[in-house]
Amino acid sequence: MSTVRARVWRFTIEKGQASAEAVQAVEIGQGSLPVSLAAMVNINALACDLRRTVDQRVRDHEISLLLSYIIGGQGKGPFGVECPALDSSAGHIQRFVSECTGLGVMTAASEALFDWKPGASGLSSFDVLPGKLSGVYSKTGVRPDLLYDLAAGPVAGEARGRRRRAKQMFPAGKGTPEQRKRLEKLAQWSVDHGDHAYFMSWVWLGAGGVYVDIFLPDGSAALTGLKTGWIDAPGDAKPWQFRVPRPDSRRVVDLAPEGNLMGDLPRPEFRGEGAASRAAISRVGLVAEEAMDRAFSREEHQLGTLADVPVRGRWIRGDALGEARHEVLLGVLGERVEVNRRAQRERLATLTGDRLDTFLDGRLLTVVRSVDGPRPSWDRISGELVEQS
C-alpha cells in the first residue's frame, strides 16, 4: 500500500477566563504512514450534503478527478502527484484536488495513528452540518471539517490541503503563518464549545509526493491510543509558541516546555456543548441511513452479495486527464455489514501486490485497482472483505 510522510505535533493551549490565550507546539516526530487510496476515495464519496439527493454523475466525475491527479499503487512507495497537470489546471481544480486529498489523508492517516473505535454514526461533515447538530454547534464563524463519533466522545477534525512547490516538502522549523492562524481560531472554537476535543491536519502536495502535518492538542481524546512505532526521525524539542489575539492580561502565561511529550494522558472529560453533541450525533445516523437507502435504490447494477446483503454499484475510471491508471468500484450495501475495523487497518497496513485495496465503511464500499490487469471478480472482492468481518 502507498504511504504518506507524516510529521506529528503536540500542542498546549493556555486559556484565560473566556478565551484561548497562547499556543505552544512541539514536534513529536516524523515517519511514513500507510494510507489506502480506497479509503481516501471512500471518505470523499461521502463529503456531500446527505440530506439532499446526490447526483451520481457529479459524484463519479469528482472521484475520477481525484484518481487522475493522485498516483497510488499496491507497493510500499509514497503517493505521487501529477504536479505538471495540477499546476496547469484552473485554480478551482487545484483547490478541489488539494482539499479532497487533505480530507482523505486526514481520516485515513488517523486510522493508522490511533486505535479508534467509531460510534454508530461514524463521522459527520461540519461543512454541511446536519440540522440535528445546529443547536449544538454555531452556524457562523470557524468550524472544523469533520466530526468523529468515537467511544471516548466526539472529536472534531480540521483538514487542509495545499500545493507546495518548495523542494523541502515540510516547512522548516516552525509552522506556517496559515497554520498558526488556523490553530488560533480552532483553539478559540474549542474554548467556546466547552473545551471540545479536536485536531488539525495540513496536507502538502508536491513533487516529493504527499506529506501531512498533524497537530494534536494535549489532553485531547485525539491523542488517546497514539501509536509512535512508525516514527523514524524524532522531532525537534524546541517549541513553536505564539500568543492568540485577544489575550487576557490578568493571567501570566508560562510557555516553558513541561515533562515528557509521550507521557501517559488522562482520559478527557466532555462537558458542556461537547457532551450535548454526543446525544445529537446519535440522531444524525438516521439521516445517513436514509441517504444510503436512496443511493442503493438508484444503482441499477447488482454486483453480488456480502454476508447475504445485496451490493449495487459501478466501476469509475480515473481518466479525466486522458488514459487512466486506476479505476474504483463504488458499491452501496442494502444494509450495514459490520467489519472488524482493527483487522481492516492491520490488513491495509500490510497490503501487498496480491491483495486488493478495499475499504468498507458502514454501507459504502470502495475498491481501487490498477487498469494494467483484469478487474477482480466479485467472489474475490467479497472473499477478502469477509476475512475482515
Side-chain angles (χ1 to χ4, degrees), residues 292-304:
M292 290 296 100
D293 287 339
R294 293 193 297 270
F296 180 80
S297 65
R298 290 194 300 271
E299 293 289 351
E300 299 178 353
H301 179 60
Q302 179 153 328
L303 303 168

Side-chain angles (χ1 to χ4, degrees), residues 7-336:
R7 178 170 65 172
V8 176
W9 301 76
R10 178 173 176 175
F11 68 93
T12 302
I13 303 172
E14 296 288 348
K15 298 191 295 290
Q17 290 187 347
S19 66
E21 186 174 283
V23 176
Q24 174 183 277
V26 179
E27 180 186 345
I28 295 175
Q30 302 181 24
S32 295
L33 287 176
V35 171
S36 161
L37 187 55
M40 289 180 58
V41 173
N42 194 295
I43 294 158
N44 278 282
L46 286 175
C48 54
D49 191 341
L50 298 179
R51 295 167 296 177
R52 301 178 181 178
T53 300
V54 178
D55 191 317
Q56 292 172 306
R57 300 168 302 170
V58 175
R59 181 203 62 191
D60 294 357
H61 179 62
E62 290 178 346
I63 291 174
S64 178
L65 272 177
L66 181 60
L67 287 174
S68 298
Y69 286 94
I70 302 300
I71 306 169
Q74 297 290 84
K76 294 289 186 178
F79 274 115
V81 182
E82 280 282 6
C83 291
L86 190 61
D87 293 340
S88 299
S89 303
H92 65 280
I93 297 296
Q94 295 184 37
R95 290 188 293 273
F96 170 80
V97 173
S98 298
E99 294 291 351
C100 283
T101 304
L103 182 66
V105 167
M106 178 182 72
T107 302
S110 298
E111 291 272 348
L113 272 177
F114 310 100
D115 191 21
W116 279 1
K117 298 177 181 178
S121 303
L123 55 86
S124 303
S125 172
F126 268 89
D127 287 342
V128 285
L129 196 66
K132 296 290 186 181
L133 294 178
S134 61
V136 178
Y137 300 103
S138 59
K139 297 181 180 180
T140 60
V142 62
R143 289 188 302 188
D145 295 309
L146 289 177
L147 181 64
Y148 297 85
D149 182 17
L150 306 181
V155 176
E158 170 79 359
R160 283 292 181 266
R162 296 290 186 270
R163 168 73 169 97
R164 182 165 172 81
R165 294 172 175 81
K167 292 183 179 180
Q168 182 174 331
M169 288 300 295
F170 281 132
K174 300 178 180 180
T176 67
E178 284 185 297
Q179 289 174 331
R180 170 177 174 169
K181 183 178 296 184
R182 200 63 184 173
L183 279 175
E184 292 174 353
K185 292 182 178 180
L186 288 172
Q188 187 57 48
W189 176 88
S190 176
V191 172
D192 292 342
H193 290 83
D195 292 336
H196 198 296
Y198 70 100
F199 71 106
M200 181 179 80
S201 70
W202 207 279
V203 170
W204 307 103
L205 283 69
V210 178
Y211 287 60
V212 57
D213 270 317
I214 301 175
F215 294 85
L216 304 171
D218 192 7
S220 165
L223 271 170
T224 304
L226 176 65
K227 298 178 181 179
T228 58
W230 57 275
I231 293 177
D232 57 33
D236 184 356
K238 185 178 180 180
W240 170 37
Q241 54 195 38
F242 54 87
R243 292 185 178 277
V244 177
R246 297 182 301 160
D248 184 350
S249 59
R250 292 170 293 181
R251 176 171 179 175
V252 178
V253 180
D254 180 10
L255 289 176
E258 295 183 5
N260 181 2
L261 289 175
M262 304 312 301
D264 294 333
L265 296 172
R267 179 173 295 275
E269 295 181 1
F270 293 89
R271 55 188 181 276
E273 295 183 27
S277 66
R278 284 185 294 185
I281 293 171
S282 65
R283 299 193 298 270
V284 175
L286 296 175
V287 178
E289 287 299 307
E290 291 171 358
M292 290 296 100
D293 287 339
R294 293 193 297 270
F296 180 80
S297 65
R298 290 194 300 271
E299 293 289 351
E300 299 178 353
H301 179 60
Q302 179 153 328
L303 303 168
T305 61
L306 180 64
D308 296 326
V309 174
V311 184
R312 300 177 183 174
R314 69 185 74 188
W315 286 95
I316 304 168
R317 294 179 68 84
D319 56 1
L321 297 178
E323 187 175 352
R325 286 183 299 267
H326 301 94
E327 66 175 359
V328 60
L329 176 64
L330 186 66
V332 184
L333 280 65
E335 61 185 68
R336 281 180 173 265

